[in-house]
Amino acid sequence: MDILNEVKRFREEEDSLKWEGTFAEYLDIVRERKEVAQTSHSRVYNMIKSAGITEKNGNRTYHFFDDEIFGLEKSIEKLVEEYFHPAAKRLDVRKRILLLMGPVSGGKSTIATMLKRGLEAYSKTDEGAVYAIKGCPMHEDPLHLIPHHLREDFFKEYGIRIEGSLTPLNTMRLEQEYGGRIEDVQVERIFFSEDKRVGIGTFTPSDPKSQDIADLTGSIDFSTIAEYGSESDPRAYRFDGEFNKANRGIMEFQEILKLDEKFLWHLLSLTQEGNFKAGRFALISADELIIAHTNETEYRSFIANKKNEALHSRIIVMPIPYNLKVTEEERIYEKMIKESDMSHVHIAPHALRVAAIFSVLTRLSDSKKQGIDIVKKMRMYDGESVEGVNQISVDELRNEFPNEGMEGIDPRYVINRISSAIIRKEVPSINALDVLRAIKDGLDRHASISKEDKEKYMNYISIARREFDEIAKKEVQKAFVYSYEESAKTLMDNYLDNVEAFCNKHKIRDPLTDEEMNPDEKLMRSIEEQIGISENAKKAFREEILIRISAFARKGKRFDFCSHDRLQEAIQKKLFGDLKDVVKITTSSAMPDEAQLKKINEVVARLIDEYGYNSTSANELLRYVGSLLNR
């Protein structure tokens, strides 16, 4: 990649998008493309929609957030459907501050950052194009030039509503530079940029004694008062506050409830009326989406203060909980490691999964529904089918605890402990046990974990360890079978042939001798006993299998190894049970003979080639599974 050529190409593309013309020419653009005159809320909503939407089972997934936000589809859907969409339609929610409220490291600031970065890119597209009065420090909407008494007629002709008044500076410029001729006012296309302070503002609280309201609303330029003769001359004012610069786009308030009250009162007018007071001027119009974020503790303190009641009704709170899906939690850790300087370190398969299992367990509440323990609940949330609880839906479990996910271990803690494991081990590979050990060691140093929570968390580490033990044994046993899928299929086909003959009271023909034989009861029972099917229940189970095969055939589907959860489990256990002694002897032998050594090397090669291990982690896995099987 030639970086200089890429920069040059990017600059040329930006230059090709630039446009300047008169207000009269701008009206021609508006007539053809009404979207250039949309409000900030409408622009953000259309930006989100432009990335694509998938609808499934009545739920919508907004792909704009796919690369950064994991496992929060429900929260994102609620955010878009209950705030951005109605706000884009000019409903009253646009006159509210959007407050993202949730635990630390839950994704609140990431959502705000994505919206800002997305808007920067969207303003460079045809659909997201933004035009402003040239030379205006607030990038004012050119349609503010239309006099108020003509706006109703303008709406009838163009179908566009105009809100807001011309700023004091542009009112003066219209008279002095253009002689009141609005058709001659120069208009230009602008591109949102937080770095250049165009259409995107960010405000961070600092020491309330030193932070000035001018940071929001701008300030008088005392060096020009002698030239212009008055503090009320708009040319003697710096329209450089965050409110000014965020006009037409997004204004982010970081940790909004840490702000001094004098800053919050300015939001009352801005959100409700779309204007704010600055200096000795009339109210200044601003069209911006206000997004803020805070944690639950600060929010509870805020609403408990009666002095803040005026702001309560001007805030829409959107809870952003922790992710509750193990698979999505893994993706969070993968992303965080990828962005670090440790991405070259080999992380063995399932190492991040056990960390994710631990994290998700700390965030879940124990269900009161019969037959649902916390592990089954975790699996159901992750989209797994759990035998025996099909009648209970995931939505039922979610509705049981609406605030679930607002507490627990945050991803930053886990990634810090993974980082610690990487650094401490000083080898280019870590495994699941290294990660669990690091998480356990870190609990004593986690300041906010109570003694009671620590006991619970130690139990969750044990659960994660047990989950890994099962995964590890299956992985090694699969690797010992030269073709696991083929062996499982062969065993299943053999079982199904015998089941069909048993249920239909037929004989089975031996493929080698062509001799007719009774169904192999010993084979069928050896498989069924793996999942606790009793002698009395075997007939019903076998008939259920045949009914399932028939149902698949009617739908034109093929019944395979994964089509029946309990049968799959039985086949696996039978296959692995037959292998157990071979695996145990081979992996735990201190001095393997030539045949054992050859088998170990074959299995290690298979773990590397087919399962994603490296030499170190594959050998560690074999030693660990050997120790498990010998207990």
Side-chain angles (χ1 to χ4, degrees), residues 14-26:
E14 278 210 325
D15 288 342
S16 69
L17 294 174
K18 289 179 179 176
W19 181 91
E20 285 186 22
T22 64
F23 180 66
E25 292 169 325
Y26 170 67

Side-chain angles (χ1 to χ4, degrees), residues 94 303 472:
R94 72 192 174 107
I303 60 174

Side-chain angles (χ1 to χ4, degrees), residues 99 101 257 294-304 317:
L99 179 63
M101 187 264 291
L257 301 184
T294 189
N295 61 55
E296 192 170 7
T297 304
E298 286 178 344
Y299 177 69
R300 299 297 170 208
S301 300
F302 172 75
I303 60 174
V317 179

Side-chain angles (χ1 to χ4, degrees), residues 228-457:
Y228 298 119
S230 170
E231 291 182 13
S232 60
D233 189 309
R235 292 170 299 179
Y237 196 83
R238 290 178 178 155
F239 294 90
D240 60 357
E242 294 303 315
F243 282 165
N244 308 106
K245 295 302 181 181
N247 187 34
R248 315 290 301 286
I250 287 180
M251 171 71 181
E252 179 193 4
F253 274 87
Q254 297 179 348
E255 301 299 336
I256 187 172
L257 301 184
K258 287 186 172 76
L259 283 170
D260 190 74
E261 288 175 0
K262 67 183 179 185
F263 293 93
L264 294 176
W265 298 131
H266 275 269
L267 291 171
L268 292 175
S269 176
L270 180 60
T271 53
Q272 190 65 36
E273 307 299 335
N275 51 45
F276 63 92
K277 191 78 174 73
R280 300 179 181 181
F281 305 114
L283 290 168
I284 296 174
S285 297
D287 168 31
E288 47 202 80
L289 188 156
I290 307 292
I291 184 168
H293 38 88
T294 189
N295 61 55
E296 192 170 7
T297 304
E298 286 178 344
Y299 177 69
R300 299 297 170 208
S301 300
F302 172 75
I303 60 174
N305 187 344
K306 295 293 182 184
K307 290 196 297 183
N308 296 325
E309 284 183 350
L311 271 169
H312 292 179
S313 62
R314 289 172 172 81
I315 291 176
I316 284 187
V317 179
M318 285 290 168
I320 305 294
Y322 286 132
N323 157 61
L324 298 177
K325 297 178 181 177
V326 171
T327 307
E328 296 299 312
E329 190 74 9
E330 276 188 270
R331 293 182 66 199
I332 294 173
Y333 302 148
E334 286 168 0
K335 171 179 167 277
M336 294 170 92
I337 289 170
K338 202 173 184 181
E339 292 170 351
S340 74
D341 290 336
M342 303 305 292
S343 56
H344 64 284
V345 174
H346 172 76
I347 297 176
H350 317 299
L352 298 183
R353 184 166 187 81
V354 296
I357 288 170
F358 166 75
S359 299
V360 169
L361 286 172
T362 68
R363 301 166 189 170
L364 295 177
S365 302
D366 289 304
S367 176
K368 295 170 186 172
K369 294 186 180 293
Q370 190 173 3
I372 301 286
D373 60 25
I374 200 164
V375 176
K376 285 181 180 177
K377 185 176 184 178
M378 173 192 75
R379 287 177 176 159
M380 289 175 71
Y381 275 13
D382 205 34
E384 293 183 42
S385 59
V386 177
E387 199 73 36
V389 292
N390 295 334
Q391 69 275 18
I392 300 172
S393 71
V394 172
D395 285 337
E396 280 183 74
L397 293 177
R398 290 189 187 281
N399 293 336
E400 199 177 2
F401 300 99
N403 289 327
E404 194 170 45
M406 298 300 277
E407 294 180 345
I409 288 291
D410 65 281
R412 282 192 198 125
Y413 168 78
V414 174
I415 211 69
N416 288 346
R417 300 315 303 159
I418 292 173
S419 303
S420 171
I422 290 171
I423 297 298
R424 186 172 63 244
K425 200 172 179 189
E426 294 183 346
V427 293
S429 173
I430 64 165
N431 59 38
L433 298 179
D434 296 323
V435 170
L436 286 177
R437 199 176 297 116
I439 290 173
K440 179 181 177 182
D441 292 344
L443 292 179
D444 290 328
R445 284 164 278 186
H446 199 300
S448 62
I449 293 180
S450 65
K451 186 178 178 181
E452 183 185 349
D453 282 342
K454 185 184 174 186
E455 289 177 5
K456 279 201 307 182
Y457 293 173

Side-chain angles (χ1 to χ4, degrees), residues 389-607:
V389 292
N390 295 334
Q391 69 275 18
I392 300 172
S393 71
V394 172
D395 285 337
E396 280 183 74
L397 293 177
R398 290 189 187 281
N399 293 336
E400 199 177 2
F401 300 99
N403 289 327
E404 194 170 45
M406 298 300 277
E407 294 180 345
I409 288 291
D410 65 281
R412 282 192 198 125
Y413 168 78
V414 174
I415 211 69
N416 288 346
R417 300 315 303 159
I418 292 173
S419 303
S420 171
I422 290 171
I423 297 298
R424 186 172 63 244
K425 200 172 179 189
E426 294 183 346
V427 293
S429 173
I430 64 165
N431 59 38
L433 298 179
D434 296 323
V435 170
L436 286 177
R437 199 176 297 116
I439 290 173
K440 179 181 177 182
D441 292 344
L443 292 179
D444 290 328
R445 284 164 278 186
H446 199 300
S448 62
I449 293 180
S450 65
K451 186 178 178 181
E452 183 185 349
D453 282 342
K454 185 184 174 186
E455 289 177 5
K456 279 201 307 182
Y457 293 173
M458 291 296 287
N459 181 46
Y460 295 150
I461 289 173
S462 299
I463 292 173
R465 170 77 175 266
R466 289 198 296 272
E467 291 288 305
F468 173 66
D469 288 352
E470 290 305 310
I471 293 170
K473 283 188 284 188
K474 282 184 180 179
E475 197 119 286
V476 168
Q477 288 167 329
K478 278 186 181 181
F480 261 81
V481 182
Y482 178 71
S483 175
Y484 164 74
E485 296 293 341
E486 193 60 37
S487 298
K489 181 180 179 299
T490 301
L491 184 56
M492 187 193 74
D493 287 345
N494 200 356
Y495 173 77
L496 294 179
D497 287 343
N498 282 277
V499 164
E500 187 177 0
F502 170 84
C503 292
N504 295 327
K505 297 179 180 169
H506 290 162
K507 299 270 188 182
I508 278 190
R509 193 174 292 278
D510 188 298
L512 294 177
T513 65
D514 209 31
E515 179 187 358
E516 285 193 338
M517 302 178 301
N518 290 324
D520 190 340
E521 185 67 20
K522 187 177 178 183
L523 169 72
M524 290 187 285
R525 292 303 295 142
S526 71
I527 291 172
E528 291 158 358
E529 285 169 354
Q530 302 293 330
I531 51 171
I533 302 293
S534 68
E535 185 71 26
N536 292 332
K538 68 181 184 183
K539 186 173 183 290
F541 180 75
R542 293 169 188 177
E543 288 172 347
E544 180 199 327
I545 296 292
L546 278 191
I547 291 169
R548 181 73 65 90
I549 292 171
S550 176
F552 268 63
R554 281 199 307 273
K555 294 175 184 175
K557 294 181 180 178
R558 185 175 176 276
F559 186 90
D560 62 20
F561 177 60
C562 302
S563 300
H564 191 286
D565 291 342
R566 296 190 73 202
L567 179 58
Q568 180 181 10
E569 182 186 351
I571 296 288
Q572 283 180 334
K573 285 186 174 179
K574 168 65 177 166
L575 203 57
F576 294 160
D578 294 344
L579 271 172
K580 187 174 180 180
D581 289 340
V582 177
V583 176
K584 187 197 303 187
I585 294 167
T586 307
T587 55
S588 58
S589 177
M591 297 289 291
D593 59 30
E594 187 177 339
Q596 289 172 337
L597 196 58
K598 182 183 178 185
K599 189 65 179 175
I600 288 171
N601 290 335
E602 285 176 0
V603 170
V604 167
R606 206 164 293 138
L607 287 170

